[in-house]
Amino acid sequence: AQNVVKGTVTDENNNPIPSASILEKNTKNGTTTDFDGKYTITIANNATIIFSYLGYKSKEVKYAGQKEISISLEPDVAQLDEIVVIGYGSVSRDKVTSSISTVKGEDLVKQVASNPAEALQGRAAGVQVLSAGGNPGASPQIVIRGITSTLGSTPLIVLDGVMLPSGTSLNFLNPADIENFQILKDASAAAIYGSRASNGVVLITSKRGKEGKTKINVDISSGIQTLEKIQMAGASEYMQVINLRRTNDGNQPLYDPTNITTDTDWWDETIENFAPITNANINLSGGSEKIKYSGSVSLFDQESNYTKGWYKRFTGRFNVDFKISDKVTLSQDLSPRVEQYENTPGLLYNLLRIDPLTEVYLPQSQRTGNIFSIYEASNNLVPNPVGVASRVFNETFFFGFFSNTKLKYEITNDLTFNSQIGLNLTKSRTDAFSPTYFTNPNQQRQINTVFRNTSERFDYVLNNTLNFEKTIVDKHYINFLGGIAYDAQNVNFLNASQDGVPDDENPLLRYISAANGETVNASGSESQRNIFSAFFRAIYSFDNKYTFNASIRADSSSIFPEDGRTGIFSGVSFSWDIDSEEFFKSEIINNLKFKIATGEVGNQNIRISGQFFSVSDGNFGFGGDRVVTNFLGNFGNPDLKWETVRDQNIGIDLGMWNNAFTASIEFYKRTSEDLLFNVEPPNYTGIPGTIAQNVGSFESRGFDLQLGYNKQLGDFKLGLNLTIASNESSAVSIAPGIEQLLGQKREDLGNRFIKITEVGETVGLFQGFRTLGIFQNQTEINSHSSENGTIIQPNAQPGDLIFEDKNNDGLLNDDDMQTIGNPFADFYGGLNINLEYKKFDLSMQWYGTYGNDVFNYPSTFLNSGTQDVNIAAGTLNRVWSPTNTSATYPRLTQQDRNGNYQRPSDLFIEDASYLRLRNIQLGYNFTLPGFQNCRAFISGQNILTITGYSGFDPEVSGGGGIIDGFGVDYARNPVAKTFLLGLNLSL
Amino acid sequence: QEQLDDFFSTEEKSLNFVNGIYNKVNGESWWQVTMPRQINEMATDDNWSGNTLQPRPDITGIAAYNVFPGSTYFNSFWESHYIGITRANIALERIPGVNMDENLKTRLMAESRFLRAFFYFELVRSFGGLPIVTTYTELLEPSISDKVRSPIAEVYELIESDLNSAINDLPLKSQQSAIDLGRVTKGAAQSLLAKVYLTEEKWQSAKDMASEVINSGEYSLETQFENIYKVNHYNGPESIFEINYFTDLNFSEVGNGLPITNGSRGDQGWGWGSPTSDLENAFLSEGDNIRLRSTIIKHGEPVYGDPTTTSFDGKPTENKSGRTNRKFYVPVDERPVPYQRATIALPYIHIRLADVILMHAEASYFAGDEGTAKTSLKTIRDRVQLTTNMALTGDALRDAIWKERRLELALEHHRLFDLRRQKINGVPRIALLMGPNGSFVNYNVNISTDPFETTNLGEPQDKGKFFDINTHLVWPIPPEEIQLSKGNITQNPGY
């Protein structure tokens, strides 16, 4: 008998699924749902119906006479059939042979941040997002498998197939527009991107419309940011510390602590307790078989916790796909954006150092100058942070327009031609003004200046590819891709300034023509760079068991001299699906895959000027008249070449209990060759500055581990994702004649370099003096001597640091410096937890590092030091005194004859392991008339940090590269805690 | 930008390149060379570090002989001079190949030699033995990083040879055209060589060389002492080697910065380096008001030669002695607008005739010619209307010559090197002034009643008590250089 059954297929959110497949089991009888997810099928008695749709778990329903069978499909957590974008194409996940991590857009939007990269932290193993601090609009740095280049470690960003210029910040993207991130971590995966891929590649796919009814999503959230107060000494403690410092040195005290007239709390004066943050996004999408569309507009608005500094962003994105015929599809994306911001001044360093005895404002009677001169100058000449903030005037207006046109022509079922034109246009304008002011002779500006800087950037990319994909006799999968690409980048800027605006205080006069001073400056430049490329990739898979992948790319770049323009990069990889083998029978393990890969990629961001021995000019006077002078400005290196990275990757993917549990572990070795570094020669050479050199080869080894667990038990749903990674680089060789690379010279630590890289050792280690505690009495000082009885620290007094005489020569000098810390973490990683129970959902994002050292630079003054700057509250309890002999920090002295604070030592090195709750969000789903779904949430960002580190933020930047600045804390504006309320509506 | 290998193509470019060596005589910016010279002055009995608001180990510490080897100022002084040496080496190597007027070529080579000798002399008396680099080519060899410090004697050999060669080839001041005034002359080279000989205690050679200058007829003393240091007063009759600073706001670092760094905090200055009451007493003990009023400005008093300033603000709350150096002071009406660092047209005089005459007196005394010594001493005292006791002899004459040198050249950055080289019974005079029992330390701690110095204890009165004769006759090698040379360049003892 024939029975007619009707129904609707919907997704987990009750949205209809068009084109879902309905099949009568064990027959060829089937149909698909229509635009509204509705279907009608005629089936036999006792039939079983299979409902399926790509990316969703299939469901089987036994027919028992129902007239209507409506069904809701659940997303397939296993995602085995997930499509992975691999550069100029895509394959199903089981054909991936190299190291590619995927992060879904839905995970990104849980964190409200100006930059989508913020939300990547800890979600993909081996991918670190180094925070740029707490300023609005700050752009964090994505680091894939550790920093191995000195040229910056920013990966190549490719948006919907368009390569973006090096250093592009992800700020311009609305996180809600992102379908997913694919991160190509190893060289074999990245080789298809050639000379720009040595730091890995981040492929971003934006959301596109799907066939079906128009869907509208509205997301709004708003909240406040707050900073945890840093407790500095008040007037009483400050006076006591300064007095003790002086009396310990045999001098008279300076202050009378019983007579406090001023006790300024600079934190309270400078920092605003609450700063607002708002994010809003509206998205509309849908489509028919012929036209699919997706459009969104968004607004993001963040203010800083300082009196100056804010960031606003407006974005739009409109993606349309036209199916012109069965064979031809045309897609057009348009994405305009506007960013507006005022840079947040870096006030923290001054705020920490200025003394509490200084008033914020001069008394009314002493004010003589303009409104920028009403701030009192501190006695210790630290700029008054409130005054500094008052004089900051800068505003940047940024306009960007991105267009992406794709034509897809299916020549045959197997052969496809793709053509793409991507345009990226940006314009920016910064207006700034520096008013005149006078606080004291060292802090004044006698002439004001108004600035306008503009820049324009126009890049375009042409990609043409031909792709052949076919499965032959069900066993041989073949995928060939060949293509050529042309990439042109044009940048120009114009900077102008003039001094002498007649009125400092009138905001309407802050433009160039309003100035009438003598000094007028204009400068500009224009640069162009073109890259022509050809590439080829072949994938062959046998019986879904053995998959081979090989790719090669040739890049010809205009930035290199003609005879060295072309570089060839390649990668090969192989995977073995063990679970597909006949012999492999397991009820528990449903996926077991082994991968091995090797490849080579390059980095072309070299400093071109480094090649030249250029002559600079200056001025000098004879007879009171000016003459031109010339001198050697740069000592060049004509043999400079680009860096290359070669790597090997080996990994295992595992899925158990129908992929409820997944695991992936990969081990890798990366060898970077011809690394560029600016080497500082001895000063007696008279060579100005540094010499750019290829300094040999570094090797980086590490592993990435990713564990996932997803389970539904009745109304309770659990999702866990744990990533753990480890990475350390060592120097295999350094260039001839150079035995060590030195970095981070610190003036107040004796103009010594605190970072060192030597052959055979971990790169960028901290170096300095090792301390052996604190001298408790003169006997200890006398017995800290060489074999022949020479006292090693004759100037020491009880309470001073004991330094190790490493070479046992009875003298404490620079020969006794040694490595004292390692900035690399033993492990870093993240844990993401998603819980759902009935209408509630809870998600948490944790991130942490373990075992890394940080050079805590502020601790060179926060616990005394030698200068009369403020100290952290409680210093008196932390410094040695005859009654506080177990103290960590040495005695108070200004003369510091022992050099406690004038040399780098392990006193300033701290373990900065930490665990941070970057995001926690609690949501509640409810319904309102007219809406399909409503969800309200409350969330907190960075609200909990567990660490033993004494600095303000253990998340220290990697600025300056691996050899140089990595792991040094310079008291940037710390990351704020953010509390938000939000609403998601869909209709 | 032009490349070095293509640069030396014309006369003009060769000239410009030699001009670039001059840039390094005083460094481009205040901290490179002139601040280190000020710190040298602070490490003597003539100056306090002065600024009591900013106790800094890299300035105040050095002045107190609690020396911070890592001070930026040692570092920059060392680095800036070696950059100058390399500029000179490039000129000496490349100019011979340029097709140009042979006379000019000879002169430019001689100027380069003088300047190289000047740099090495400044370095050797600051730091002791030095790595010696005399060519540009060797910088391109990997072995350049294996240099070690050559003995002091070898450095002096190079200096003497460069100066002797320069003396042969340089023109007299009177032979220079107006646009070349300020370039080094035969007289400058002879004067510098006289100073080198004096430092080496080659008394007769020093005397002879000084005589050459004095008898050349090229120079004469300014009739008024106060006219030696004047804004826009270039290459005066007494001036032998000077930097012609000028005012032009369109160019950075072309003017003198010392009026600001050395100026009072009450007068738009930074307050570094203020004259001691000990120096003031030295003038008073001679009844030497003419030089005193042109050397020291005192808080609350009018400034000599500046009718606008009737009561000077020496900011004694922020300044150790309430005193300021008059030689680097610019009268209010003569100041550029805006009045700021590196815009001030006050020449910086390295060598002037009075210096040479007093070198001549000193060298003559030690060469055994007391009569000539006294004649030269009298020349200097006559100008400032002081009588000279022509009966002086022996130690008393020696002390009189030394004292005259102190008073005449006070605060002109000569004092430290004078005190290091002048010895009594083989002991350098600096060691008699400084140290726990030094006479200068004793004066400040036990005798002085100066109302400013004894009140503002922001800079301790016992400055200099940490002096150690085994360490402090030279400055430390910058630790950075030891690191960069992988320890090939060794530290001076005690640091």
Side-chain angles (χ1 to χ4, degrees), chain A residues 246 381 446 623 629 685 747 895, chain B residues 54 66 72 86 244 338 457:
Chain A
R246 295 179 59 88
L381 294 183
Q446 299 192 359
T629 69
T685 61
E747 183 177 324
Q895 288 169 348
Chain B
Q54 292 165 290
N66 177 25
T72 289
T86 285
N244 292 177
L457 297 172

Side-chain angles (χ1 to χ4, degrees), chain B residues 18-267:
Chain B
V18 172
N19 294 346
I21 313 172
Y22 282 90
N23 274 135
K24 281 294 166 190
V25 172
N26 272 13
E28 285 94 346
S29 204
W30 64 275
W31 46 272
Q32 289 169 328
V33 174
T34 51
M35 190 64 179
R37 287 199 192 116
Q38 264 191 279
I39 294 172
N40 285 345
E41 201 82 336
M42 296 173 205
T44 72
D45 52 351
D46 281 359
N47 249 344
W48 295 98
S49 63
N51 175 352
T52 56
L53 276 187
Q54 292 165 290
R56 293 180 55 154
D58 54 355
I59 299 176
T60 321
I62 298 167
Y65 283 97
N66 177 25
V67 177
F68 176 36
S71 170
T72 289
Y73 302 104
F74 295 138
N75 221 33
S76 57
F77 192 80
W78 172 280
E79 183 177 359
S80 189
H81 280 75
Y82 269 111
I83 290 175
I85 287 165
T86 285
R87 290 182 187 179
N89 286 339
I90 294 172
L92 288 168
E93 213 164 283
R94 299 293 167 100
I95 289 177
V98 182
N99 187 11
M100 63 189 283
D101 177 75
E102 285 301 316
N103 288 331
L104 178 62
K105 184 186 280 188
T106 305
R107 194 193 90 197
L108 291 180
M109 298 287 286
E111 286 183 35
S112 305
R113 282 216 176 77
F114 171 95
L115 293 168
R116 182 167 75 179
F118 176 89
F119 296 134
Y120 272 115
F121 182 51
E122 290 291 287
L123 287 171
V124 72
R125 40 184 203 162
S126 298
F127 299 103
L130 301 169
I132 295 179
V133 186
T134 53
T135 64
Y136 171 68
T137 312
E138 63 190 295
L139 301 185
L140 304 165
E141 305 294 327
S143 59
I144 185 67
S145 53
D146 301 331
K147 288 259 175 194
V148 295
R149 296 173 69 183
S150 295
I152 293 176
E154 281 180 30
V155 183
Y156 276 108
E157 238 171 77
L158 172 66
I159 294 169
E160 286 184 25
S161 136
D162 270 345
L163 287 176
N164 277 313
S165 163
I167 288 167
N168 278 333
D169 295 337
L170 284 171
L172 294 169
K173 187 178 183 184
S174 56
Q175 293 169 332
Q176 283 180 318
S177 56
I179 56 161
D180 287 333
L181 284 173
R183 295 183 175 280
V184 295
T185 56
K186 185 190 287 286
Q190 288 169 328
S191 304
L192 184 61
L193 185 56
K195 187 166 284 188
V196 169
Y197 284 145
L198 198 67
T199 307
E200 292 184 275
E201 301 187 339
K202 294 179 176 174
W203 308 119
Q204 189 59 45
S205 304
K207 181 185 173 208
D208 295 346
M209 199 49 68
S211 298
E212 295 256 6
V213 180
I214 296 165
N215 299 331
S216 67
E218 293 283 311
Y219 307 99
S220 61
L221 294 180
E222 292 272 2
T223 45
Q224 301 297 318
F225 184 81
E226 67 211 51
N227 288 344
I228 298 170
Y229 281 91
K230 261 178 103 157
V231 174
N232 290 315
H233 180 56
Y234 297 110
N235 309 304
E238 187 171 338
S239 170
I240 296 177
F241 179 39
E242 73 174 47
I243 302 299
N244 292 177
Y245 283 120
F246 60 102
T247 300
D248 189 334
L249 295 180
N250 288 316
F251 300 102
S252 58
E253 309 293 356
V254 295
N256 196 338
L258 283 162
I260 301 293
T261 56
N262 205 111
S264 164
R265 302 189 61 79
D267 182 34

Side-chain angles (χ1 to χ4, degrees), chain A residues 949-985:
Chain A
Y949 180 61
S950 74
F952 317 121
D953 189 348
E955 203 171 342
V956 166
S957 123
I962 191 173
I963 310 179
D964 206 12
F966 184 64
V968 187
D969 182 355
Y970 287 125
R972 314 174 295 187
N973 291 343
V975 172
K977 296 180 177 187
T978 307
F979 299 91
L980 292 141
L981 282 172
L983 201 58
N984 312 126
L985 306 170

Side-chain angles (χ1 to χ4, degrees), chain A residues 246 252 381 441-442 446 613 615 619 623 628-630 680 683-685 740 745 747 751 753 767 895 902, chain B residues 2-4 16 19 23 53-54 66 68 70 72 86 144 181 244 269-270 338-339 457 466 480-481 483:
Chain A
R246 295 179 59 88
Q252 290 169 11
L381 294 183
N442 275 340
Q446 299 192 359
F613 293 79
V615 175
N619 306 286
V628 174
T629 69
N630 282 120
E680 185 163 352
N683 287 318
Y684 63 70
T685 61
Q740 57 183 23
K745 184 166 74 175
E747 183 177 324
N751 279 295
F753 295 91
Q767 68 166 345
Q895 288 169 348
Q902 291 166 47
Chain B
E2 279 190 282
Q3 295 298 291
L4 187 69
N16 290 350
N19 294 346
N23 274 135
L53 276 187
Q54 292 165 290
N66 177 25
F68 176 36
T72 289
T86 285
I144 185 67
L181 284 173
N244 292 177
W270 297 3
Y339 181 59
L457 297 172
F466 295 125
E480 178 190 345
E481 192 70 344
Q483 280 187 301

Side-chain angles (χ1 to χ4, degrees), chain A residues 375-390:
Chain A
Y375 302 93
E376 185 154 304
S378 77
N379 265 345
N380 53 30
L381 294 183
V382 176
N384 178 328
V386 183
V388 169
S390 80

Side-chain angles (χ1 to χ4, degrees), chain A residues 518-532:
Chain A
E518 283 175 26
T519 311
V520 183
N521 281 309
S523 62
S525 87
E526 172 132 19
S527 70
Q528 249 188 26
R529 163 151 132 174
N530 307 315
I531 303 171
F532 183 76

